[in-house]
Amino acid sequence: MAAKQLKFYWSPQFQLFSCDGAKLEGHGFIQTNPSHDLVHLFIAANGNMPWQPVESREQTCFAEYNAVMLEHLLVNCFNAAVLGSLPAQQIIPEARKFLRWFVSEHYAPFPVSEEEAFRRFAEHLDIERIVRLFPYFYSLRAWECFSPTYRSEVYDLEFTSEDDPVREAPEWAADPNILQAQELVRQKLTEAVAEARSSWPKPESVFLPTSSASPSFSPQAKSRKSGLGFKPARAR
């Protein structure tokens, strides 16, 4: 499968997020953090999941659920691994708690229950792809946490769904904080998928008549990559 080409540009005045030509544009002040909008592109890179809050309310609901669920899982992993502000065992429960409120109140009426939305999210989640791309989120989230002026800055990144930032940037491969957080992400996404699967309906058994019963990611070349590390780009 060809690598998806993704573009992330965020500034206080203008935002552009695109995947293989499908794009979202924003003009003027935006309430969401840059990291939330980057996660929408992670969902696009993942594939087989709604990522654009456009066209219909139903698609918007699922696109926002997918982004918010993944965002909270990644933020909680960052908080546990880097800030030490959350016990690792609370990463998934805290995310699910927020998304239950999101479904029952913030986006009510939601097309399905939170349990069904979580099942759909987990069914199509490409864990290894999200883990590979996670360092982009890590770097941006760190800037949000430690730069008091992060919302007045400009962020610019072009990447593909097959990127492996740790392998492409030796300084990231040598950073134990990134590697530790990345492994925690892998662990918790795997646990989240297992949790969702445990509640999936079990297939009904089929009993045959006795007489007929039988024994039983190489990175693609990029034309341009800017904003690596998410230090603010120059405004344009």
Side-chain angles (χ1 to χ4, degrees):
M1 181 180 295
K4 296 179 183 295
Q5 306 292 321
L6 302 124
K7 165 72 176 176
F8 176 80
Y9 181 85
W10 194 103
S11 75
Q13 299 80 27
F14 175 70
Q15 306 81 38
L16 173 64
F17 320 118
S18 68
C19 174
D20 290 344
K23 62 184 180 180
L24 295 171
E25 289 189 27
H27 299 268
F29 176 79
I30 187 171
Q31 292 184 336
T32 53
N33 278 340
S35 59
H36 169 81
D37 299 308
L38 178 63
V39 171
H40 273 281
L41 285 185
F42 278 20
I43 297 294
N46 184 94
N48 298 316
M49 301 169 74
W51 71 275
Q52 293 174 290
V54 295
E55 294 185 6
S56 68
R57 186 179 187 280
E58 179 171 325
Q59 178 171 320
T60 296
C61 286
F62 285 115
E64 291 297 344
Y65 179 94
N66 293 335
V68 174
M69 172 56 80
L70 183 57
E71 175 192 12
H72 273 71
L73 290 171
L74 298 185
V75 166
N76 289 353
C77 285
F78 181 93
N79 290 347
V82 180
L83 304 181
S85 60
L86 182 72
Q89 61 268 27
Q90 289 300 311
I91 289 171
I92 297 173
E94 287 297 317
R96 292 294 304 279
K97 178 181 177 181
F98 185 88
L99 270 296
R100 290 188 186 100
W101 168 83
F102 181 89
V103 166
S104 64
E105 297 185 35
H106 187 59
Y107 259 79
F110 204 82
V112 298
S113 67
E114 193 278 330
E115 289 75 12
E116 173 63 14
F118 183 54
R119 184 194 69 77
R120 296 186 186 191
F121 168 85
E123 182 179 12
H124 298 291
L125 187 65
D126 186 335
I127 294 173
E128 288 306 313
R129 178 162 293 172
I130 299 302
V131 169
R132 275 194 291 101
L133 297 177
F134 171 72
Y136 292 143
F137 178 90
Y138 176 102
S139 185
L140 180 53
R141 185 60 186 163
W143 197 264
E144 291 175 349
C145 288
F146 302 118
S147 172
T149 62
Y150 78 90
R151 287 192 63 85
S152 63
E153 294 161 354
V154 176
Y155 307 89
D156 191 2
L157 175 70
E158 292 183 6
F159 63 106
T160 84
S161 58
E162 300 304 313
D163 275 15
D164 192 341
V166 165
R167 296 185 68 178
E168 295 172 1
E171 66 273 18
W172 286 9
D175 188 332
N177 291 326
I178 291 178
L179 300 181
Q180 180 182 356
Q182 194 175 34
E183 284 308 306
L184 185 60
V185 168
R186 177 180 282 107
Q187 175 188 338
K188 291 304 174 180
L189 293 186
T190 301
E191 290 179 11
V193 169
E195 180 177 314
R197 285 178 176 170
S198 69
S199 63
W200 291 359
K202 302 296 189 296
E204 295 182 6
S205 300
V206 177
F207 296 96
L208 298 176
T210 304
S211 60
S212 62
S214 57
S216 333
F217 294 103
S218 63
Q220 300 286 322
K222 294 163 283 296
S223 58
R224 171 173 163 269
K225 180 179 290 184
S226 59
L228 185 63
F230 284 104
K231 292 181 180 178
R234 291 184 178 179
R236 45 184 174 181

